[in-house]
Amino acid sequence: MAADRPARPEPGTIASVLYNVRRAPKRVRRQSRDFIETAVSQLFDAAVRHPHAAESGEYRIDDLARLAGTTTRNVRVYRDRGLLPPPLRVGRIALFNDTHLTRLRLITSMLDRGYNIAHVREMLSAWEEGKNLGDVLGLETAIVGSWTAEKPETMPLEDAARLVGDPHAFERLVGLQVIRVDGAQAIVTRPKLIEAFNEIRGYGVDLDKLIDLHEQIVPEIDKISEMLVRAGAEHVVDRIKPGRPLPADAEIAELITMLVRFRTQAVATVTATLASSIESHIESLVSRILADYLEHSSEPEPRCG
């Protein structure tokens, strides 16, 4: 009697992607760049949709806080204020589960986005009552952030040219791959960047100058990204050795989920550091402008006598 085959994993999970990769013919796996790129994209999409697939279980309060990126003190505050349901009590030990973890991540995300405790309570109540909170907040995005920061937008070439509003700048953006031209269609690969350019242009800043800044900044950003990714890669390489058998699917899923969370936290850290640095430079600039203004606009002091 043949041994029972293992059950096929749930579609859309990391396990299902790995299952399909293993079942593909070796020739396809080794020679098709598209196959590898598609599998990588599916793995990260699955990790975003199932952020704690490799973390399933019960957690003490310290572990719960760590996985949610907050503190045990905050967990207690949210529990006392009714934002988190009571944990399971086993003797004197309080055990939390994945429902607590997902809810805690959502609470933390909403507070980070400027909502207060009262707003969070109202939204969680609406969620529990079955209202479409996911559409309002983007539940998955609120928990882990989407994997792709920007989705390219396709539009008629004339609309893209009108969006930029400057033929020379349009050609420069095409050369930088910010816009790709495909016949009568244009693919705006960085729609948020174009939106930011247009807003800043409203203050009178020349578009060519903004594109110059973009060209100067991108290599520096790439250097920062390389440093951050290298730190995560060192951890992965320690556990997945080239030429050796791959670890179990659960361990691969854990590593991919770790990298997704690593990306989220790295972006948040760099963003906070950059914002702090920019604020400091703006304050210094305004101080110099104000001091210069006061120096040249003050009335002469009256003479005594």
Side-chain angles (χ1 to χ4, degrees), residues 74-272:
N74 284 341
V75 174
R76 293 189 179 97
V77 169
Y78 303 152
R79 191 180 65 195
D80 292 343
R81 297 192 181 189
L83 300 180
L84 283 174
L88 173 67
R89 291 283 177 181
V90 179
R92 300 180 62 182
I93 299 174
L95 292 178
F96 299 84
N97 57 30
D98 287 333
T99 300
H100 292 97
L101 180 58
T102 298
R103 190 177 179 112
L104 183 55
R105 281 175 171 162
L106 181 57
I107 292 167
T108 301
S109 174
M110 286 191 289
L111 291 173
D112 287 345
R113 292 162 69 174
Y115 296 101
N116 60 35
I117 291 287
H119 289 151
V120 173
R121 185 183 294 109
E122 289 176 9
M123 292 180 187
L124 290 175
S125 297
W127 183 23
E128 289 168 347
E129 291 167 7
K131 295 180 182 177
N132 200 3
L133 183 67
D135 287 343
V136 177
L137 293 179
L139 183 57
E140 289 179 350
T141 302
I143 295 173
V144 291
S146 60
W147 176 248
T148 304
E150 289 188 75
K151 297 291 185 184
E153 295 181 4
T154 302
M155 62 184 69
L157 184 58
E158 291 180 359
D159 290 352
R162 193 177 302 113
L163 183 66
V164 175
D166 182 321
H168 174 67
F170 184 86
E171 292 301 322
R172 290 190 67 188
L173 292 172
V174 170
L176 293 170
Q177 294 292 301
V178 174
I179 298 174
R180 294 203 305 266
V181 176
D182 184 10
Q185 296 290 105
I187 303 165
V188 181
T189 61
R190 298 287 312 279
K192 291 182 180 178
L193 181 66
I194 300 295
E195 182 181 340
F197 279 177
N198 285 335
E199 181 176 344
I200 297 172
R201 287 168 70 189
Y203 294 99
V205 181
D206 185 71
L207 182 54
D208 266 330
K209 185 171 185 178
L210 293 174
I211 297 174
D212 289 342
L213 284 171
H214 175 71
E215 286 185 298
Q216 295 170 36
I217 289 170
V218 167
E220 303 305 319
I221 294 293
D222 285 343
K223 290 178 185 176
I224 295 171
S225 299
E226 184 183 1
M227 291 168 59
L228 292 169
V229 172
R230 192 185 305 129
E234 288 171 356
H235 176 69
V236 173
V237 170
D238 283 342
R239 296 171 66 178
I240 300 181
K241 303 289 186 182
R244 296 185 185 178
L246 286 173
D249 284 359
E251 187 172 353
I252 294 177
E254 180 186 350
L255 287 170
I256 293 171
T257 303
M258 180 274 292
L259 288 172
V260 170
R261 294 298 301 163
F262 179 85
R263 173 261 192 185
T264 303
Q265 297 305 324
V267 169
T269 301
V270 172
T271 300

